[in-house]
Amino acid sequence: DAAVALRILDATNPARGEHAGGPPALDSVMLAGRWHLLDQTGAPVLAACAARGVRVEIAGAYASGLLAGGPNYEYKPATPAHVARRDAWAALAADHGVSLKAAALKFAFLPAAVSKVALGLASTAFVDETVDIIAEANAVPAALWKDAVARGLLAPDLLAL
């Protein structure tokens, strides 16, 4: 929950990382499920962390598996609206010659505050595929994000994080 992350950040890391007593300052925050192609409600956390010099680790870049070809979103069967949004992202990625998984992984790393992205692999069979996706993510063109804004998939201000 982004609001919880912000409360903890405010309690431990006052403005610009200055810390005068109290709980120890955080050096990183894990943001799970709130920064991926289908949900960007973690944007305020990313902005606050960037302003305070706190690193962010992203978990859930594949939206509980929906962006990786699975049927679930938020650990429940995906709604038709979520599937339609996923399909719109898949079409955009295809238009730019990359896979949806590569676009999702690259998106997770876009904000300057992000230092790590945790990926869950259901089995060792996914290791080789993940290595390939990491390489492909490096080739995702910047134009994809501008087109995502033009298609209404992303708010323009998110590209400045």
Side-chain angles (χ1 to χ4, degrees):
D1 184 279
V4 171
L6 281 173
R7 283 184 58 205
I8 292 169
L9 186 63
D10 286 343
T12 57
N13 294 62
R16 298 192 182 133
E18 297 168 10
H19 193 274
L26 298 176
D27 61 1
S28 67
V29 169
M30 180 173 275
L31 186 61
R34 296 299 167 250
W35 184 256
H36 53 71
L37 297 178
L38 305 179
D39 182 339
Q40 297 92 41
T41 57
V45 176
L46 291 159
C49 286
R52 297 170 191 189
V54 176
R55 295 182 314 273
V56 179
E57 288 105 28
I58 298 294
Y62 294 147
S64 303
L66 186 60
L67 296 172
N72 293 329
Y73 179 72
E74 303 252 329
Y75 305 102
K76 299 180 281 199
T79 66
H82 289 122
V83 171
R85 191 158 166 83
R86 185 236 9 235
D87 292 348
W89 274 105
L92 176 62
D95 287 350
H96 286 272
V98 297
S99 70
L100 179 58
K101 289 180 185 179
L105 182 57
K106 182 69 170 189
F107 180 78
F109 277 109
L110 284 180
V114 174
S115 63
K116 295 177 182 148
V117 174
L119 297 175
L121 306 180
S123 73
T124 57
F126 292 109
V127 173
D128 289 338
E129 177 192 23
T130 300
V131 170
D132 292 342
I133 291 167
I134 291 167
E136 184 186 2
N138 289 326
V140 171
L144 186 147
W145 312 119
K146 291 179 184 170
D147 286 351
V149 170
R151 293 184 190 192
L153 294 172
L154 280 180
D157 60 324
L158 294 177
L159 297 181
L161 289 173

